[in-house]
């Protein structure tokens, strides 16, 4: 499970709003926004976000292609057919005539550490931090797809459980990047603990 809480995004509408109905027959507005993400090496890739909201939060006639919009809410991230898919349910929607493309929020992650050992490193100021990667699994028609997150954990405490193959529940500020033409996720850990899976 990967969610971005306290999300704030400024982007451009690339799919005009339309009224749709959910499985229970209730109406909702659906549109899409896009913003460029730049990696550390200067590589850029567009991040597409699917937006679903209550009809009271927007106007179809205003949410048109090319309009700029500020959105705040919670977004889930899943992997389908090798692509990173984002689904945002905004608490607030604000049209704007300016504003810089931006996205920020707090990542809420549940998943499993990979096979690589957790690395202990030291920055230029002598500050100790841990580096590790973990993945979340999405299954579509019995096909498993993996979304990886890279974690930096400063001032680690009680980190003995952070070992290859461990399931974790982690939170922290998220940063989007690009590597090898793919969107990447990085997180500065503010809290992390073992994740105990409930057996069904």
């Amino acid at each position: 499970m990967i969610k971005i809480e306290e999300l704030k995004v400024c982007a451009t509408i690339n799919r005009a709003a339309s009224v749709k109905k959910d499985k229970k027959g209730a109406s909702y507005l659906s549109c899409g926004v896009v913003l460029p993400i730049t990696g550390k090496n200067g590589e850029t890739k567009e991040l597409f976000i699917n937006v679903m909201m209550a009809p009271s939060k927007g106007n179809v006639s205003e949410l048109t292609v090319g309009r700029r919009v500020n959105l705040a809410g919670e977004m889930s991230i899943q992997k389908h057919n090798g692509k990173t898919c984002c689904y945002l349910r905004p608490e607030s929607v604000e049209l704007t005539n300016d504003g810089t493309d931006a996205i920020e929020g707090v990542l809420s992650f549940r998943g499993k550490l990979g096979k690589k050992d957790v690395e202990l490193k030291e920055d230029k100021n002598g500050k100790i931090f841990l580096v590790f990667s973990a993945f979340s699994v999405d299954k579509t028609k019995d096909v498993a797809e993996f979304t990886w997150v890279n974690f930096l954990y400063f001032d680690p405490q009680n980190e003995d459980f952070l070992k290859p193959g461990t399931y974790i529940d982690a939170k922290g500020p998220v940063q989007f990047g690009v590597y090898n033409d793919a969107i990447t996720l990085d997180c500065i850990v503010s809290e992390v603990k073992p994740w105990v899976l409930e057996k069904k």
Side-chain angles (χ1 to χ4, degrees), residues 4 7 9-16 31-38 44-52 65-66 69 71 75-80 82-89 101-103 176-178 181-185:
I4 309 296
L7 178 81
V9 58
C10 181
T12 301
I13 297 175
N14 71 311
R15 177 168 54 83
C31 69
V33 299
V34 62
L35 72 156
I37 302 295
T38 302
T44 300
K45 189 175 181 65
E46 291 183 322
L47 177 67
F48 296 93
I49 300 175
N50 298 293
V51 183
M52 296 157 286
V65 173
V69 63
L71 303 166
M75 183 171 76
S76 64
I77 298 178
Q78 301 173 1
K79 186 69 70 65
H80 293 298
K83 295 182 179 180
T84 300
C85 299
C86 301
Y87 303 94
L88 169 60
R89 294 186 178 276
D101 289 309
I103 184 168
F176 289 80
V178 183
D181 197 39
I183 297 292
T184 61
L185 295 170

Side-chain angles (χ1 to χ4, degrees), residues 54-159:
S56 60
K57 293 186 180 295
N59 190 317
V60 172
S61 64
E62 294 180 337
L63 298 173
T64 55
V65 173
R67 293 296 304 270
R68 300 279 293 162
V69 63
N70 290 316
L71 303 166
E74 183 176 283
M75 183 171 76
S76 64
I77 298 178
Q78 301 173 1
K79 186 69 70 65
H80 293 298
N81 297 322
K83 295 182 179 180
T84 300
C85 299
C86 301
Y87 303 94
L88 169 60
R89 294 186 178 276
E91 297 175 359
S92 66
V93 180
E94 178 188 2
L95 291 171
T96 180
N97 292 321
D98 52 18
T100 303
D101 289 309
I103 184 168
E104 62 180 36
V106 176
L107 181 136
S108 178
F109 173 92
R110 284 182 176 178
K112 184 178 181 181
L113 267 69
K115 295 181 179 180
K116 291 184 178 181
D117 288 331
V118 175
E119 295 184 72
L120 181 65
K121 295 190 176 184
E122 184 177 329
D123 67 14
K124 296 179 180 178
N125 298 317
K127 196 171 185 180
I128 299 297
F129 64 97
L130 299 179
V131 178
F132 57 94
S133 297
F135 62 87
S136 175
V137 181
D138 296 298
K139 288 187 177 181
T140 304
K141 296 181 180 179
D142 296 325
V143 176
E145 301 197 56
F146 306 90
T147 302
W148 286 86
V149 178
N150 302 308
F151 292 92
L152 295 178
Y153 183 18
F154 290 92
D155 298 321
Q157 299 177 10
N158 301 321
E159 70 278 1

